[in-house]
Amino acid sequence: SKAIGGHSFRFYAPAMNERQQRLLALESELHRALERREFVLHYQPQANLATGEISGVEALLRWNHSKRGLVAPNDFIPLLEETGLIDEVGLWVLRQACQDMLQLKAEYGHAPRVSVNLSARQFSSGCLAEKVAAVLRDTRLPAEQLELEITEQMLINDLESSRSTLGALRDLGVTVAIDDFGTGYCSLAYLKRLPLHVLKIDRTFVSGLPGDLNDLAIVEAITLLAHKLDLQVIAEGVETAAQLETLRALGCDMVQGYYLSKPVPLDKLGSAAALTV
Ligand code: C2E
Ligand code: CA
Ligand code: CA
Ligand code: CA
């Protein structure tokens, strides 16, 4: 503040602080983004280690901002969750991912299974299976080509409603993967009592391979456990050949990570999917 003639001018604390104003502005920008169709999906290939084929892809949301360029999901998904906009955006993601796989099928004669991330709000909404069924019906994607990713935390928030939601998804023929596995607090006992199909080992356990003996032990134990429970194992965040070979030796089923390919737009997936491991 500047003192003039003994009086000082001061600014009053605005009703909203700067952070709140920024969030409010971002929220209305996100509304507009939805209307202007500024959201896009990128796809990251998942390789099957037994066959060497790209048998899956994960759909990852990006915001193609007119000024800021491609915005990463961690910068806007929390706000979509907070404002409830995630319901609409999440449904768009599901529909777009299914449509994109059908487009690949039309072009190449076949398409990988697509894995779609769900937010906590979508998973606990109570009508998830109905929404998924409607998208499958409208797009005509076979249910076995769709996988949904949820986290341990979403499962254990309300175990009983999780069980019925998962049961309804299984009845549709859709598979479910536990994302970031090992970072949450899921009791191992739940795993065998719920209709689940895939564990995705979090990249924090993959990054220490092959040198870190603790990570090696954790990945080996998760893989053994998963296989005993009839679950498939995908390792996330595979960045080096040494990591891939270690995961292969440990019996991991599938790998995903920058070593194979970064997430790419649909039209680049054809060449990314030509990779073999
Ligand atoms: P996630 O589901 O765990 O996705 C994996 C993230 O790791 C992605 O970041 C991916 O680009 C990145 N990644 C892949 N391979 C590597 C690697 O080798 N090394 C490293 N360091 N990173 C790798 P991204 O795309 O920024 O997504 C961040 C998170 O945003 C996702 O984590 C997911 O939780 C969330 N997300 C993305 N798309 C959606 C969506 O459509 N709906 C919802 N609800 N969440 C989404
Ligand atoms: Ca995921
Ligand atoms: Ca993950
Ligand atoms: Ca995550």
Side-chain angles (χ1 to χ4, degrees):
S1 60
K2 202 154 119 197
I4 300 178
H7 297 280
S8 70
F9 295 96
R10 63 186 294 267
F11 295 103
Y12 290 93
M16 264 190 295
N17 66 36
E18 218 175 296
R19 183 176 174 274
Q20 284 171 318
Q21 279 180 4
R22 263 211 321 271
L23 285 180
L24 209 64
L26 186 57
E27 186 184 341
S28 68
E29 263 194 281
L30 285 167
H31 269 290
R32 259 176 290 145
L34 197 57
E35 284 162 12
R36 294 180 188 166
R37 302 170 191 277
E38 289 177 349
F39 291 111
V40 289
L41 291 181
H42 282 192
Y43 292 95
Q44 188 174 36
Q46 302 171 327
N48 182 313
L49 287 175
T51 64
E53 284 168 350
I54 302 300
S55 51
V57 293
E58 178 175 4
L60 293 157
L61 183 60
R62 271 100 184 86
W63 176 13
N64 197 357
H65 191 280
S66 50
K67 294 194 187 75
R68 283 189 278 164
L70 271 195
V71 185
N74 289 333
D75 294 338
F76 64 89
I77 285 182
L79 197 67
L80 289 179
E81 288 250 3
E82 222 176 289
T83 55
L85 279 170
I86 193 70
D87 294 338
E88 211 174 328
V89 177
L91 200 57
W92 175 84
V93 170
L94 196 61
R95 196 172 288 274
Q96 191 63 45
C98 292
Q99 280 170 4
D100 284 351
M101 288 313 106
L102 283 170
Q103 189 183 321
L104 281 187
K105 228 181 205 173
E107 272 174 53
Y108 297 92
H110 59 92
R113 175 180 72 184
V114 67
S115 213
V116 171
N117 291 282
L118 294 183
S119 77
R121 221 182 127 102
Q122 285 176 286
F123 185 65
S124 64
S125 74
C127 54
L128 175 65
E130 285 85 345
K131 284 182 176 161
V132 171
V135 168
L136 291 173
R137 203 174 46 234
D138 295 349
T139 60
R140 296 166 186 269
L141 187 76
E144 60 273 14
Q145 280 197 259
L146 177 63
E147 184 160 279
L148 300 175
E149 297 193 9
I150 60 173
T151 62
E152 293 162 82
Q153 199 51 50
M154 295 182 205
L155 267 186
I156 60 179
N157 275 346
D158 181 349
L159 203 57
E160 270 325 298
S161 77
S162 293
R163 183 198 304 284
S164 73
T165 300
L166 292 172
L169 291 172
R170 178 199 47 203
D171 293 346
L172 287 177
V174 169
T175 56
V176 174
I178 305 296
D179 203 358
D180 306 337
F181 186 75
T183 61
Y185 299 93
C186 197
S187 145
L188 298 179
Y190 295 160
L191 293 181
K192 80 169 186 212
R193 298 195 344 239
L194 294 169
L196 300 167
H197 309 86
V198 175
L199 293 189
K200 297 191 76 175
I201 300 180
D202 192 69
R203 73 159 180 266
T204 53
F205 304 115
V206 173
S207 66
L209 301 182
D212 187 310
L213 296 183
N214 290 326
D215 285 346
L216 211 53
I218 290 169
V219 172
E220 184 173 21
I222 292 177
T223 304
L224 281 170
L225 171 85
H227 287 164
K228 292 261 186 229
L229 297 176
D230 252 336
L231 298 166
Q232 275 204 321
V233 179
I234 302 183
E236 298 193 279
V238 178
E239 295 183 349
T240 68
Q243 287 170 350
L244 186 143
E245 289 315 324
T246 305
L247 290 159
R248 194 199 295 277
L250 292 175
C252 186
D253 302 295
M254 296 177 67
V255 290
Q256 175 182 354
Y258 294 166
Y259 179 67
L260 271 91
S261 167
K262 291 202 166 183
V264 293
L266 185 70
D267 59 341
K268 298 282 182 323
L269 195 56
S271 49
L275 289 164
T276 48
V277 294

